[in-house]
Amino acid sequence: MSATMDTESTYSGYSHYSGHSKKAHRQGRDRHKSPRSKDGSRSEKSVTIQAPPAEPLLGNDASRTEEGQDDNWGETTTAITGTSEHSISQEDIARISKDLEDSVGLDCKRYLGLTVAAVLGLLVFLTPVAFILLPQILWRDALEPCGTVCEGLFISVAFKLLILLIGTWALFFRQPKADIPRVFVFRALLLVLIFLFVFSYWLFYGVRILDSKDTNYQGIVQYAVSLVDALLFIHYLAIVLLELRQLQPVFAVKVVRSTDGESRYYSLGHLSIQRAALVVLENYYRDFTVYNPSLLTASKSRAAKHMAGLKVYNVDGPGNNVSGQSRAMIAAAARRRDSSHNELYYEEADHERRVRKRRARLVVAVEEAFTHIKRLQAEEEQKAPGEMMDPREAAQAIFPSMARALQKYLRTTRQQQYHSMESILQHLAFCITNNMTPKAFLERYLSAGPTLQYDRDRWFSKQWTLVSEEAVTSGLQDGVVFVLKCLDFSLVVNVKKIPFIKLSEEFIDPKSHKFVLRLQSETSV
Amino acid sequence: QSQYSVILFSFQQRIEIHKLRQGDNLILGFSIGGGIDQDPTQNPFSEDKTDKGIYVTRVTEGGPAEVAGLQIGDKIMQVNGWDMTMVTHDQARKRLTKRNEEVVRLLVTRQSLQKAVQQSMMS
């Protein structure tokens, strides 16, 4: 099995500009067909390469038609034409420039915020220590000796500072997981509050203690202790405002994807619109099936055919009655006896049957393939009948028998771009290692999974824009609608309030469950 | 503005049954169902399914009840002056089968009778 050029990679317009290492790519046979725009808004360039002829499998672009070209992939190896690698469309240029300027701008803002917060935190943390140490340094001789109470307070300050440190680390020292458009209102408020608080303490300290060189050291230490206490309370306030308040679910949020109508509901608490958008997006990657543009082509072609056959002739003169024309077109289109619903019905039934047939073949092929290998127990290692293989080699050994069936199934369900041969082999090795059954191996291919399951290049959704009529830092209210847009589709989010529930109580004594028979006698007299 | 007046009719019939002696027993030749201790929803003859009165469920052919004109589905209102609208099933049976009575006079009401009178009034 030649492993030299088995870099099978699917190349789309996005991955090239993400700054990662350039993948080596070569080209398929029908290159001239590929820059056809699928959904009308971008040209999707999918270049896929094929491994050596020993295992021809995936790596076609969606423009290929079926059966006749299946077996010819072995020949498509080294042709590189100039079009895909070096041609950039207008949209790609726009995308590059947008990526560059966005990444630079937001990083600056984020780091600025982090530095300010860090400096403030350090200052705040060192303040009580400074309060205690400064009298010792500046007018040590004049100070009253520190009694037991005073020394007890030292211990108390030390431990409270330690607790504050641990609490702050737990609450605030986190990797930022998102770039958001505007600053968090509550965090900013807290920072301002802390700053004012510490400033006023320093002011008091400077005027009443430093200037007058107060000798009551115990009083000074108690002053420092009161500062630390107040800081702990501010920390408590931060927990409540930043973490606890949004835990209780108040709103039910419906998220609908604009291209295919897939929808989900989520429960959220009192959040600002931008934080709610963050939550929705985090859940989007896990819950929604991956966006597949090739599934949308059928409805678009139907729509195009529907309006294509009507033309408007203006016989009344040069008056340009645009709305009248369009109304006339709509009315005529509605009246036309259209059999496209028939086509849709039969096409869908046909497709369903084809998918099921291929699925049956695939399941049988995979089950058969899995019977060819067997796990070797430890004690059998010496007397192994054949050569011993590691999981990767075992996967490569059984892969050819199921390759064709899998490829055909993926083509029928239009998922072929999401799975490269390398990824299939890896998954197969993984399943073999973990003793999974054929059905468990197939689970990934039989139905479309969430976006996180696939390679980042196929996501179609990395840069999001929040479109909202209200300010994004305002809180969620009943009836708020905002849209999360990415380049190819958008998520429409509709917020509804969970209704106020009136729950009343009814007590039923367990002894009150009594029954009688229904009597219906008939007596003859 | 129209005014309505309500006229109540009681569609009742008096039936006199002479008991027949059969061996040691005096029989009347019909079966009863119903009573305040029974389930009124199971009664096939009553119009109002909360009616717990005594109904005639079967009339034996050629028996004294049939001869006297009792019909299946009749509701028995009184037996020899005793009220039968608020009695238990057993009390009803006892009132009908008193050994020292040879004749029972029943006051029955019948749905077909009601409907016949209504139709004749309307035409």
Side-chain angles (χ1 to χ4, degrees):
Chain A
M1 193 143 341
S2 55
T4 51
M5 280 307 296
D6 57 347
T7 53
E8 149 63 38
S9 67
T10 308
Y11 166 85
S12 76
Y14 293 95
S15 64
H16 189 70
Y17 306 111
S18 63
H20 297 162
S21 58
K22 246 176 123 157
K23 299 187 183 133
H25 59 275
R26 296 181 297 167
Q27 211 165 3
R29 219 167 125 194
D30 300 330
R31 198 62 200 103
H32 62 281
K33 277 202 239 159
S34 66
R36 184 166 76 193
S37 65
K38 304 287 175 309
D39 53 359
S41 64
R42 325 161 289 112
S43 56
E44 173 187 309
K45 299 194 182 73
S46 319
V47 182
T48 55
I49 322 165
Q50 200 26 285
E55 45 247 354
L57 183 66
L58 313 169
N60 49 338
D61 37 73
S63 60
R64 270 177 196 262
T65 53
E66 262 75 56
E67 316 289 77
Q69 293 161 358
D70 277 354
D71 307 319
N72 293 333
W73 288 350
E75 309 170 32
T76 72
T77 49
T78 54
I80 305 178
T81 70
T83 53
S84 75
E85 186 170 354
H86 304 294
S87 67
I88 309 177
S89 73
Q90 182 62 25
E91 287 141 348
D92 292 339
I93 293 181
R95 212 177 294 134
I96 311 169
S97 50
K98 188 169 181 290
D99 281 347
L100 281 177
E101 71 191 18
D102 281 341
S103 60
V104 165
L106 284 174
D107 276 353
C108 248
K109 201 169 72 168
R110 196 177 358 138
Y111 286 134
L112 187 66
L114 280 179
T115 356
V116 164
V119 163
L120 191 64
L122 203 60
L123 201 68
V124 163
F125 191 72
L126 292 177
T127 301
V129 180
F131 282 0
I132 296 179
L133 286 181
L134 278 176
Q136 295 274 1
I137 296 171
L138 292 179
W139 62 91
R140 191 194 194 107
D141 315 312
L143 278 179
E144 288 170 12
C146 196
T148 357
V149 179
C150 184
E151 281 161 11
L153 288 175
F154 282 153
I155 300 180
S156 143
V157 165
F159 275 102
K160 282 182 187 164
L161 277 179
L162 180 67
I163 292 173
L164 192 63
L165 187 67
I166 297 177
T168 313
W169 170 82
L171 191 61
F172 295 118
F173 285 25
R174 278 185 234 170
Q175 295 267 6
K177 47 185 179 170
D179 275 338
I180 45 161
R182 301 220 182 246
V183 75
F184 282 139
V185 169
F186 280 141
R187 281 191 205 171
L189 276 178
L190 275 172
L191 282 178
V192 167
L193 179 67
I194 292 179
F195 174 72
L196 284 177
F197 177 73
V198 171
F199 180 72
S200 61
Y201 259 72
W202 268 110
L203 201 60
F204 185 86
Y205 187 77
V207 166
R208 298 288 287 271
I209 298 182
L210 280 183
D211 277 354
S212 62
K213 296 214 192 286
D214 193 5
T215 54
N216 180 6
Y217 195 50
Q218 185 173 332
I220 296 176
V221 177
Q222 265 176 338
Y223 183 68
V225 171
S226 80
L227 172 66
V228 181
D229 285 342
L231 283 177
L232 279 173
F233 284 129
I234 291 187
H235 189 259
Y236 156 76
L237 187 69
I239 297 178
V240 163
L241 277 183
L242 296 181
E243 304 283 320
L244 288 184
R245 189 167 171 258
Q246 35 264 16
L247 287 182
Q248 219 180 22
V250 176
F251 297 105
V253 154
K254 178 170 185 178
V255 184
V256 182
R257 185 159 57 185
S258 65
T259 48
D260 57 357
E262 186 169 343
S263 64
R264 291 269 187 293
Y265 272 94
Y266 298 113
S267 282
L268 294 179
H270 283 288
L271 292 175
S272 58
I273 291 183
Q274 60 183 1
R275 282 187 79 170
L278 263 184
V279 172
V280 164
L281 283 177
E282 282 161 19
N283 286 326
Y284 167 80
Y285 283 109
R286 184 198 62 181
D287 291 332
F288 279 71
T289 59
V290 68
Y291 167 71
N292 196 346
S294 30
L295 291 175
L296 306 169
T297 50
S299 60
K300 285 195 207 276
S301 61
R302 270 201 303 274
K305 257 194 290 177
H306 186 68
M307 293 303 269
L310 296 173
K311 280 210 260 194
V312 175
Y313 293 103
N314 199 345
V315 295
D316 288 332
N320 197 5
N321 188 2
V322 176
S323 74
Q325 272 184 10
S326 28
R327 275 184 216 269
M329 273 190 84
I330 294 173
R335 254 180 267 127
R336 188 167 72 162
R337 206 145 44 101
D338 198 354
S339 62
S340 59
H341 58 277
N342 241 352
E343 280 174 36
L344 173 63
Y345 170 70
Y346 284 115
E347 204 180 291
E348 282 198 346
D350 211 26
H351 179 75
E352 180 73 14
R353 230 175 347 114
R354 231 180 316 140
V355 164
R356 271 197 242 140
K357 218 184 337 163
R358 293 218 169 153
R359 182 199 162 116
R361 284 204 200 131
L362 172 63
V363 168
V364 162
V366 171
E367 282 174 358
E368 213 185 328
F370 267 63
T371 59
H372 290 157
I373 48 166
K374 175 173 92 101
R375 179 176 272 268
L376 213 50
Q377 306 300 327
E379 52 275 4
E380 297 172 11
E381 262 184 48
Q382 291 82 28
K383 47 182 177 70
E387 69 174 59
M388 290 193 296
M389 301 183 282
D390 68 5
R392 168 104 192 159
E393 289 162 8
Q396 281 170 334
I398 60 174
F399 182 64
S401 56
M402 66 167 89
R404 198 184 158 89
L406 183 59
Q407 162 213 336
K408 282 192 171 169
Y409 181 80
L410 289 177
R411 267 239 215 94
T412 314
T413 52
R414 306 214 191 108
Q415 288 178 300
Q416 71 270 26
Q417 292 127 319
Y418 291 95
H419 300 108
S420 64
M421 192 178 85
E422 181 55 37
S423 78
I424 298 179
L425 275 174
Q426 268 179 6
H427 187 237
L428 187 54
F430 171 79
C431 290
I432 293 176
T433 319
N434 292 307
N435 293 324
M436 291 200 190
T437 57
K439 202 157 177 202
F441 163 71
L442 278 177
E443 164 272 330
R444 174 188 265 229
Y445 303 108
L446 289 180
S447 56
T451 317
L452 279 178
Q453 193 176 295
Y454 300 98
D455 197 19
R456 281 191 89 107
D457 305 330
R458 306 302 313 176
W459 277 8
F460 287 113
S461 53
K462 282 181 269 200
Q463 181 88 2
W464 295 91
T465 313
L466 175 56
V467 178
S468 154
E469 285 165 18
E470 323 249 330
V472 296
T473 48
S474 64
L476 289 178
Q477 303 284 336
D478 187 28
V480 158
V481 174
F482 58 93
V483 177
L484 287 159
K485 266 208 310 213
C486 76
L487 276 171
D488 303 300
F489 59 93
S490 51
L491 298 173
V492 180
V493 181
N494 199 349
V495 177
K496 291 195 196 2
K497 204 168 150 79
I498 296 178
F500 181 77
I501 298 173
K502 275 199 155 85
L503 196 60
S504 57
E505 173 202 351
E506 185 184 335
F507 173 69
I508 296 186
D509 187 1
K511 295 202 210 65
S512 69
H513 297 298
K514 299 213 183 302
F515 297 90
V516 287
L517 286 178
R518 280 182 154 181
L519 299 172
Q520 25 167 137
S521 348
E522 193 187 355
T523 324
S524 60
V525 294
Chain B
Q1 211 178 25
S2 53
Q3 285 183 330
Y4 297 95
S5 60
V6 178
I7 308 170
L8 287 173
F9 289 94
S10 59
F11 311 105
Q12 291 171 340
Q13 188 176 353
R14 295 190 184 275
I15 294 182
E16 194 175 294
I17 308 179
H18 297 265
K19 292 190 189 177
L20 183 65
R21 184 163 289 278
Q22 256 190 9
D24 206 19
N25 301 320
L26 286 167
I27 61 163
L28 288 160
F30 64 97
S31 301
I32 53 166
I36 52 176
D37 56 337
Q38 306 284 310
D39 180 20
T41 57
Q42 312 270 0
N43 191 343
F45 305 110
S46 58
E47 228 175 63
D48 176 14
K49 291 303 171 195
T50 59
D51 182 7
K52 294 191 175 180
I54 306 291
Y55 281 79
V56 174
T57 55
R58 233 178 335 132
V59 176
T60 53
E61 282 205 9
E66 192 187 16
V67 165
L70 192 66
Q71 287 181 14
I72 183 173
D74 289 350
K75 177 175 174 182
I76 303 178
M77 312 292 283
Q78 288 178 8
V79 170
N80 285 347
W82 292 99
D83 172 58
M84 295 290 264
T85 54
M86 278 285 156
V87 293
T88 66
H89 191 86
D90 209 41
Q91 283 170 343
R93 180 191 59 82
K94 283 191 189 140
R95 295 218 184 118
L96 283 165
T97 54
K98 287 199 158 61
R99 304 195 84 148
N100 51 0
E101 288 174 355
E102 291 244 350
V103 175
V104 283
R105 293 185 179 81
L106 307 176
L107 182 67
V108 303
T109 178
R110 193 177 291 164
Q111 278 182 18
S112 53
L113 206 58
Q114 274 181 344
K115 287 197 180 108
V117 175
Q118 272 172 353
Q119 276 172 0
S120 68
M121 276 176 63
M122 282 194 282
S123 57

